[in-house]
Amino acid sequence: MGSVSHKSDAAIVLGIESSCDETAVALVTADRRILAQRIASQEAEHAPYGGVVPEIAARAHAQRLAPMLEAVMDDAGLTLDQVDAIAATAGPGLIGGVMVGLVSGKALAMAADKPLIAVNHLEGHALSPRLADPALEFPYLLLLVSGGHCQILGVEGVGQYRRLATTIDDALGEAFDKTAKILGLGYPGGPAVERLAREGDSKAVPLPRPLKGSKEPHFSFAGLKSAVLRAHESGEHKPADIAASFQQAAIDCLIDRLRLALDQAGTFPALVVAGGVAANQSVRGALEELAQANAMRFVAPPLALCTDNAAMIAWAGCERLAHDADFAGDPLDLKARPRWPLDPEAETVRGAGVKA
Ligand code: KG4
Ligand code: ZN
């Protein structure tokens, strides 16, 4: 197994992401420079099915990854010899896609004699705000909201995550996507719902706020999604009003659950949001207000770092190298993991999603 040749503050890490419907490769330095990155979305392939089809995703990753790896090295004008480690998403996610990325990472690590860093995709999201913001220090309270997960985590340090809340059914991104499908807005739904919501009245449609006020630190969005379907089928509401009311109901749930987490876990210096839904401006606005009211800093990464990308995977690799000076790489026989909780001590709740 190769060792890390550069000091960890000058390390260059190649990142590979393939856990859902984005194939992505990036080169990131430990001093927070993104030297090159490419990302190919599979939106067009999955759009006819209204959601991600695992088999199609795996095949598309397999076709795109090798040329993309070459292109990113070219973009940065680097050879593999100049890279210090290879970081690849090893889960959680759609297993076929994860295997494609992980096996490519292993092959590169072996061929170039560099350490492999098997990255938890959720850890990529969780640490991504630190790539964009050097001033963000541990600990922070993280709302991780993506297509497969909706969690509140106390991020205490690299590899130290305390899960304070999770969803008992749908993830929030999934609820956005389903709302978009019901309203005929296509896939992916989050950005489309956000756009339509701008033209609607968020008070027009009475919708539930599942688990609001509950002392159990969980999320639930299945009932909200069903209510959206009923509101749409009633024919009494404009789609823009439904979109705006849905978005507001979802935000009310987020804020209520975050308040509970703060009550239960105590305060943190910063409130941080990550994951695809963190791209939503109304969500960001509401979180910023909550942070201000609690004298916390609010940190949200730039939009391109919110949705799935490889820079966050490479960055998680940089964090691992910096955190553990003796790290010699993960074993090359390590397996891809469809499920991989960030906090292994947290109890399993029914329905918690597999993709991130
Ligand atoms: O983190 P991500 O790119 O992939 C996963 O790991 O799941 O998150 C994708 C999710 C999708 O459900 C998408 O609809 C949602 O993030 N999303 C948004 C917005 N942009 C993406 N949801 C609400 N508003 C947005 N602007
Ligand atoms: Zn993700």
Side-chain angles (χ1 to χ4, degrees), residues 62-132:
Q63 278 164 355
R64 288 179 188 159
L65 197 50
M68 190 180 277
L69 281 160
E70 225 166 285
V72 165
M73 298 307 297
D74 278 357
D75 290 346
L78 292 177
T79 61
L80 265 188
D81 281 349
Q82 293 165 292
V83 167
D84 295 283
I86 318 285
T89 298
L94 300 172
I95 193 69
V98 175
M99 283 168 69
V100 168
L102 183 59
V103 90
S104 305
K106 287 177 180 177
L108 291 175
M110 202 183 290
D113 193 25
K114 304 286 178 183
L116 171 77
I117 309 175
V119 174
N120 182 320
H121 178 88
L122 296 171
E123 180 168 47
H125 279 301
L127 297 175
S128 65
R130 281 169 49 84
L131 169 57

Coordinates of all heavy atoms in Angstrom, one line a residue, residues 62-132:
A62 N -20.7 3.2 -15.4 CA -19.6 2.3 -16.0 C -19.2 2.9 -17.3 O -18.0 2.9 -17.6 CB -20.1 0.9 -16.1
Q63 N -20.1 3.5 -18.1 CA -19.7 4.1 -19.3 C -18.9 5.4 -19.2 O -18.0 5.7 -19.9 CB -21.0 4.4 -20.2 CG -21.5 3.1 -20.9 CD -22.9 3.3 -21.4 OE1 -23.5 4.3 -21.2 NE2 -23.4 2.3 -22.1
R64 N -19.3 6.1 -18.2 CA -18.8 7.5 -18.1 C -17.5 7.7 -17.3 O -16.8 8.6 -17.4 CB -19.8 8.5 -17.6 CG -20.9 8.7 -18.6 CD -22.0 9.6 -18.1 NE -23.1 9.6 -19.0 CZ -24.3 9.9 -18.8 NH1 -24.7 10.3 -17.6 NH2 -25.2 9.8 -19.7
L65 N -17.3 6.8 -16.3 CA -16.3 7.0 -15.3 C -14.9 7.1 -15.9 O -14.2 8.0 -15.6 CB -16.4 6.0 -14.2 CG -15.7 6.4 -12.9 CD1 -16.1 7.8 -12.4 CD2 -16.1 5.4 -11.8
A66 N -14.5 6.1 -16.7 CA -13.1 6.1 -17.2 C -12.8 7.3 -18.0 O -11.8 7.9 -17.7 CB -12.9 4.8 -17.9
P67 N -13.6 7.7 -19.0 CA -13.2 8.9 -19.7 C -13.2 10.1 -18.8 O -12.4 11.1 -19.0 CB -14.3 9.0 -20.8 CG -15.3 8.0 -20.6 CD -14.7 7.0 -19.6
M68 N -14.1 10.2 -17.8 CA -14.2 11.3 -17.0 C -12.9 11.4 -16.1 O -12.4 12.5 -15.8 CB -15.4 11.2 -16.1 CG -15.7 12.5 -15.3 SD -17.2 12.4 -14.3 CE -18.4 12.7 -15.5
L69 N -12.4 10.3 -15.6 CA -11.2 10.3 -14.8 C -10.0 10.9 -15.6 O -9.3 11.7 -15.1 CB -10.9 8.8 -14.4 CG -11.7 8.3 -13.2 CD1 -11.6 6.8 -13.1 CD2 -11.1 8.9 -11.9
E70 N -10.0 10.4 -16.9 CA -8.9 10.9 -17.7 C -9.0 12.4 -17.9 O -8.1 13.2 -17.9 CB -9.0 10.2 -19.1 CG -7.6 9.7 -19.5 CD -7.8 8.7 -20.7 OE1 -8.2 7.6 -20.4 OE2 -7.6 9.2 -21.8
A71 N -10.3 12.8 -18.2 CA -10.5 14.3 -18.5 C -10.1 15.1 -17.3 O -9.6 16.2 -17.4 CB -12.0 14.5 -18.9
V72 N -10.5 14.7 -16.1 CA -10.2 15.5 -14.9 C -8.7 15.6 -14.7 O -8.2 16.7 -14.3 CB -10.9 14.9 -13.6 CG1 -10.4 15.5 -12.4 CG2 -12.4 15.2 -13.8
M73 N -8.0 14.5 -14.9 CA -6.5 14.6 -14.7 C -5.9 15.5 -15.8 O -5.1 16.4 -15.4 CB -5.9 13.2 -14.9 CG -6.3 12.1 -13.9 SD -6.1 12.6 -12.2 CE -4.3 12.8 -12.1
D74 N -6.5 15.5 -17.0 CA -6.0 16.4 -18.0 C -6.3 17.9 -17.7 O -5.5 18.8 -17.8 CB -6.7 16.1 -19.4 CG -6.1 15.0 -20.1 OD1 -5.0 14.5 -19.6 OD2 -6.6 14.6 -21.1
D75 N -7.6 18.1 -17.2 CA -8.0 19.5 -16.8 C -7.0 20.1 -15.8 O -6.6 21.2 -15.9 CB -9.4 19.5 -16.2 CG -10.5 19.1 -17.1 OD1 -10.2 19.2 -18.4 OD2 -11.6 18.8 -16.7
A76 N -6.6 19.2 -14.9 CA -5.7 19.8 -13.8 C -4.2 19.7 -14.3 O -3.3 20.2 -13.6 CB -5.8 18.9 -12.6
G77 N -3.9 19.0 -15.4 CA -2.6 18.9 -15.9 C -1.7 18.0 -14.9 O -0.5 18.3 -14.7
L78 N -2.3 17.0 -14.3 CA -1.6 16.2 -13.3 C -1.6 14.7 -13.8 O -2.4 14.3 -14.6 CB -2.3 16.2 -12.0 CG -2.3 17.5 -11.2 CD1 -3.1 17.4 -9.9 CD2 -0.8 17.9 -10.9
T79 N -0.6 14.0 -13.3 CA -0.6 12.6 -13.5 C -1.0 11.9 -12.2 O -0.8 12.5 -11.1 CB 0.8 12.1 -14.0 OG1 1.7 12.4 -13.0 CG2 1.2 12.7 -15.3
L80 N -1.3 10.6 -12.2 CA -1.7 9.9 -11.0 C -0.5 9.9 -10.0 O -0.8 9.9 -8.8 CB -2.1 8.5 -11.3 CG -3.5 8.2 -11.5 CD1 -3.7 6.7 -11.6 CD2 -4.4 8.7 -10.4
D81 N 0.7 9.9 -10.5 CA 1.8 10.0 -9.6 C 1.8 11.2 -8.6 O 2.3 11.1 -7.5 CB 3.1 10.1 -10.4 CG 3.5 8.8 -11.0 OD1 2.9 7.8 -10.6 OD2 4.4 8.8 -11.9
Q82 N 1.2 12.2 -9.1 CA 1.2 13.5 -8.3 C 0.1 13.5 -7.4 O -0.1 14.5 -6.6 CB 1.2 14.7 -9.3 CG 2.4 14.9 -10.1 CD 2.2 15.8 -11.3 OE1 1.5 15.6 -12.2 NE2 2.9 17.0 -11.2
V83 N -0.8 12.5 -7.4 CA -1.9 12.5 -6.5 C -1.5 11.7 -5.3 O -0.8 10.8 -5.3 CB -3.1 11.8 -7.2 CG1 -4.2 11.4 -6.3 CG2 -3.6 12.7 -8.3
D84 N -2.0 12.1 -4.1 CA -1.6 11.5 -2.9 C -2.5 10.4 -2.4 O -2.1 9.5 -1.7 CB -1.5 12.5 -1.7 CG -0.4 13.5 -2.0 OD1 0.8 13.2 -1.9 OD2 -0.7 14.6 -2.5
A85 N -3.8 10.4 -2.8 CA -4.7 9.3 -2.4 C -5.9 9.3 -3.3 O -6.2 10.4 -3.9 CB -5.1 9.5 -0.9
I86 N -6.6 8.2 -3.3 CA -7.8 8.1 -4.1 C -9.0 7.8 -3.2 O -9.0 6.8 -2.5 CB -7.7 6.8 -5.1 CG1 -6.3 6.6 -5.7 CG2 -8.9 6.8 -6.1 CD1 -6.0 7.6 -6.8
A87 N -9.9 8.8 -3.2 CA -11.1 8.6 -2.4 C -12.3 8.3 -3.2 O -12.6 8.9 -4.2 CB -11.4 10.0 -1.7
A88 N -13.0 7.2 -2.9 CA -14.2 6.8 -3.6 C -15.3 6.6 -2.7 O -15.1 6.0 -1.6 CB -13.9 5.5 -4.4
T89 N -16.5 6.9 -3.1 CA -17.7 6.6 -2.3 C -17.9 5.1 -2.2 O -17.9 4.4 -3.2 CB -19.0 7.3 -2.9 OG1 -18.8 8.7 -3.0 CG2 -20.2 6.9 -2.1
A90 N -18.0 4.6 -1.0 CA -18.1 3.2 -0.8 C -19.5 2.8 -0.2 O -19.8 1.7 0.1 CB -17.1 2.7 0.2
G91 N -20.4 3.8 -0.2 CA -21.8 3.6 0.3 C -22.2 4.8 1.1 O -21.3 5.7 1.3
P92 N -23.4 5.0 1.6 CA -24.5 4.2 1.2 C -25.0 4.6 -0.2 O -24.7 5.8 -0.6 CB -25.6 4.4 2.3 CG -25.2 5.8 2.8 CD -23.8 6.0 2.6
G93 N -25.8 3.8 -0.8 CA -26.3 4.2 -2.1 C -26.8 3.0 -2.9 O -26.9 1.9 -2.4
L94 N -27.1 3.3 -4.2 CA -27.5 2.2 -5.1 C -26.3 1.3 -5.4 O -25.3 1.8 -5.9 CB -28.1 2.8 -6.4 CG -29.3 3.7 -6.2 CD1 -29.7 4.4 -7.4 CD2 -30.4 2.9 -5.6
I95 N -26.3 0.1 -5.0 CA -25.1 -0.7 -4.9 C -24.4 -0.9 -6.2 O -23.2 -0.9 -6.2 CB -25.5 -2.1 -4.2 CG1 -24.2 -2.8 -3.8 CG2 -26.3 -3.0 -5.1 CD1 -23.5 -2.1 -2.6
G96 N -25.1 -1.0 -7.3 CA -24.4 -1.2 -8.6 C -23.6 0.0 -8.9 O -22.4 -0.2 -9.3
G97 N -24.1 1.2 -8.7 CA -23.3 2.4 -9.0 C -22.1 2.5 -8.0 O -21.0 2.9 -8.4
V98 N -22.4 2.3 -6.7 CA -21.3 2.4 -5.7 C -20.1 1.4 -6.1 O -19.0 1.8 -6.1 CB -21.8 2.0 -4.3 CG1 -20.6 2.0 -3.3 CG2 -22.8 3.0 -3.9
M99 N -20.5 0.2 -6.6 CA -19.5 -0.8 -6.9 C -18.6 -0.3 -8.1 O -17.4 -0.5 -8.1 CB -20.1 -2.1 -7.2 CG -20.5 -2.9 -6.0 SD -21.6 -4.3 -6.3 CE -20.4 -5.4 -7.1
V100 N -19.3 0.4 -9.1 CA -18.5 0.9 -10.2 C -17.5 1.9 -9.8 O -16.3 1.8 -10.2 CB -19.5 1.5 -11.3 CG1 -18.7 2.3 -12.3 CG2 -20.4 0.5 -11.9
G101 N -17.9 2.8 -8.9 CA -16.9 3.9 -8.5 C -15.9 3.3 -7.6 O -14.7 3.6 -7.7
L102 N -16.3 2.4 -6.7 CA -15.3 1.9 -5.7 C -14.3 1.0 -6.4 O -13.1 1.1 -6.1 CB -16.0 1.1 -4.6 CG -15.2 0.5 -3.5 CD1 -14.4 1.6 -2.8 CD2 -16.1 -0.2 -2.5
V103 N -14.7 0.2 -7.3 CA -13.8 -0.7 -8.0 C -12.8 0.1 -8.9 O -11.6 -0.2 -9.0 CB -14.5 -1.8 -8.8 CG1 -14.8 -1.4 -10.2 CG2 -13.8 -3.1 -8.8
S104 N -13.3 1.2 -9.4 CA -12.4 2.0 -10.2 C -11.3 2.7 -9.3 O -10.2 2.8 -9.6 CB -13.2 3.2 -10.9 OG -14.2 2.6 -11.7
G105 N -11.8 3.1 -8.1 CA -10.9 3.7 -7.2 C -9.9 2.7 -6.7 O -8.7 3.0 -6.6
K106 N -10.3 1.5 -6.5 CA -9.3 0.4 -6.0 C -8.3 0.2 -7.1 O -7.1 0.0 -6.8 CB -10.1 -0.9 -5.8 CG -10.9 -0.8 -4.5 CD -11.7 -2.2 -4.4 CE -12.5 -2.2 -3.1 NZ -13.3 -3.5 -3.1
A107 N -8.8 0.1 -8.4 CA -7.9 -0.2 -9.5 C -6.8 0.9 -9.6 O -5.6 0.6 -9.8 CB -8.7 -0.3 -10.8
L108 N -7.2 2.2 -9.5 CA -6.3 3.3 -9.6 C -5.3 3.2 -8.4 O -4.1 3.5 -8.6 CB -7.0 4.6 -9.6 CG -7.9 4.9 -10.8 CD1 -8.7 6.2 -10.6 CD2 -7.0 5.1 -12.0
A109 N -5.9 3.0 -7.2 CA -5.0 2.9 -6.0 C -3.9 1.8 -6.2 O -2.8 2.0 -5.9 CB -5.9 2.7 -4.8
M110 N -4.4 0.7 -6.7 CA -3.4 -0.4 -6.9 C -2.4 -0.1 -8.0 O -1.2 -0.3 -7.8 CB -4.2 -1.7 -7.3 CG -3.5 -3.0 -6.9 SD -4.4 -4.4 -7.5 CE -5.8 -4.4 -6.4
A111 N -2.9 0.4 -9.1 CA -2.0 0.7 -10.2 C -1.0 1.7 -9.9 O 0.2 1.6 -10.3 CB -2.8 1.1 -11.5
A112 N -1.4 2.8 -9.2 CA -0.5 3.9 -8.9 C 0.2 3.8 -7.5 O 0.9 4.6 -7.1 CB -1.3 5.2 -9.0
D113 N -0.2 2.7 -6.8 CA 0.4 2.5 -5.5 C 0.1 3.7 -4.5 O 1.0 4.3 -3.9 CB 1.9 2.2 -5.6 CG 2.4 1.7 -4.2 OD1 1.6 1.1 -3.5 OD2 3.6 1.8 -4.0
K114 N -1.2 4.0 -4.5 CA -1.6 5.1 -3.6 C -2.6 4.6 -2.6 O -3.3 3.6 -2.9 CB -2.3 6.2 -4.4 CG -1.5 6.8 -5.6 CD -0.4 7.7 -5.0 CE 0.5 8.2 -6.2 NZ 1.6 9.0 -5.7
P115 N -2.8 5.2 -1.5 CA -3.8 4.7 -0.5 C -5.2 5.0 -1.1 O -5.5 6.0 -1.7 CB -3.6 5.6 0.7 CG -2.5 6.6 0.4 CD -2.0 6.3 -1.0
L116 N -6.1 4.0 -0.8 CA -7.5 4.1 -1.1 C -8.2 4.7 0.1 O -7.9 4.2 1.3 CB -8.1 2.7 -1.4 CG -9.6 2.7 -1.6 CD1 -10.0 3.3 -2.9 CD2 -10.1 1.3 -1.4
I117 N -9.1 5.6 -0.1 CA -9.9 6.1 1.0 C -11.4 5.8 0.7 O -11.9 6.4 -0.3 CB -9.7 7.6 1.3 CG1 -8.2 8.0 1.4 CG2 -10.5 8.1 2.5 CD1 -7.9 9.5 1.5
A118 N -12.0 4.9 1.4 CA -13.4 4.6 1.2 C -14.2 5.6 2.0 O -14.2 5.6 3.2 CB -13.6 3.1 1.7
V119 N -15.0 6.4 1.2 CA -15.7 7.5 1.9 C -17.2 7.1 2.0 O -17.8 6.6 1.1 CB -15.5 8.8 1.1 CG1 -16.4 9.9 1.6 CG2 -14.0 9.2 1.1
N120 N -17.7 7.4 3.1 CA -19.2 7.3 3.3 C -19.8 8.6 2.7 O -19.4 9.7 3.0 CB -19.5 7.3 4.8 CG -20.9 7.2 5.1 OD1 -21.8 7.8 4.5 ND2 -21.3 6.4 6.2
H121 N -20.7 8.4 1.7 CA -21.3 9.5 1.0 C -21.9 10.5 1.9 O -21.8 11.7 1.7 CB -22.3 8.9 0.0 CG -23.1 9.9 -0.7 ND1 -22.7 10.4 -2.0 CD2 -24.2 10.6 -0.5 CE1 -23.5 11.2 -2.4 NE2 -24.5 11.4 -1.6
L122 N -22.5 10.0 3.0 CA -23.1 11.0 4.0 C -22.0 11.8 4.6 O -22.2 13.0 5.0 CB -23.9 10.2 5.0 CG -25.0 9.4 4.5 CD1 -25.6 8.5 5.6 CD2 -26.1 10.4 4.0
E123 N -20.8 11.2 4.9 CA -19.7 12.0 5.4 C -19.3 13.0 4.5 O -18.9 14.2 4.8 CB -18.6 11.0 5.8 CG -17.4 11.8 6.4 CD -16.4 10.8 7.1 OE1 -16.0 9.8 6.4 OE2 -16.0 11.1 8.2
G124 N -19.3 12.7 3.2 CA -19.0 13.7 2.1 C -19.9 14.9 2.3 O -19.4 16.0 2.3
H125 N -21.2 14.7 2.4 CA -22.1 15.8 2.6 C -21.8 16.5 3.9 O -21.9 17.7 3.9 CB -23.6 15.3 2.6 CG -24.2 15.0 1.3 ND1 -24.3 16.0 0.3 CD2 -24.7 13.9 0.7 CE1 -24.9 15.4 -0.8 NE2 -25.2 14.2 -0.6
A126 N -21.6 15.7 4.9 CA -21.5 16.3 6.3 C -20.3 17.2 6.4 O -20.3 18.2 7.1 CB -21.4 15.2 7.3
L127 N -19.2 16.9 5.7 CA -18.0 17.7 5.8 C -17.9 18.7 4.7 O -17.0 19.6 4.8 CB -16.7 16.8 5.7 CG -16.6 15.8 6.9 CD1 -15.4 14.8 6.7 CD2 -16.5 16.5 8.2
S128 N -18.7 18.7 3.6 CA -18.6 19.6 2.5 C -18.6 21.0 2.9 O -17.9 21.9 2.3 CB -19.7 19.3 1.4 OG -21.0 19.5 2.0
P129 N -19.4 21.4 3.9 CA -19.4 22.9 4.3 C -18.0 23.3 4.7 O -17.7 24.5 4.6 CB -20.4 22.9 5.4 CG -21.3 21.7 5.2 CD -20.4 20.7 4.7
R130 N -17.2 22.5 5.2 CA -15.8 22.9 5.6 C -14.9 23.1 4.4 O -13.9 23.8 4.6 CB -15.2 21.8 6.6 CG -15.8 22.0 8.0 CD -15.4 20.8 8.9 NE -14.0 20.4 8.9 CZ -13.1 20.9 9.6 NH1 -13.4 21.9 10.5 NH2 -11.8 20.5 9.6
L131 N -15.2 22.5 3.3 CA -14.4 22.7 2.1 C -14.6 24.2 1.7 O -13.7 24.8 1.3 CB -14.9 21.7 1.0 CG -14.3 22.0 -0.4 CD1 -12.8 22.1 -0.5 CD2 -14.8 20.9 -1.4
A132 N -15.9 24.6 1.7 CA -16.2 26.0 1.3 C -15.8 27.0 2.3 O -15.6 28.2 1.9 CB -17.6 26.0 0.9

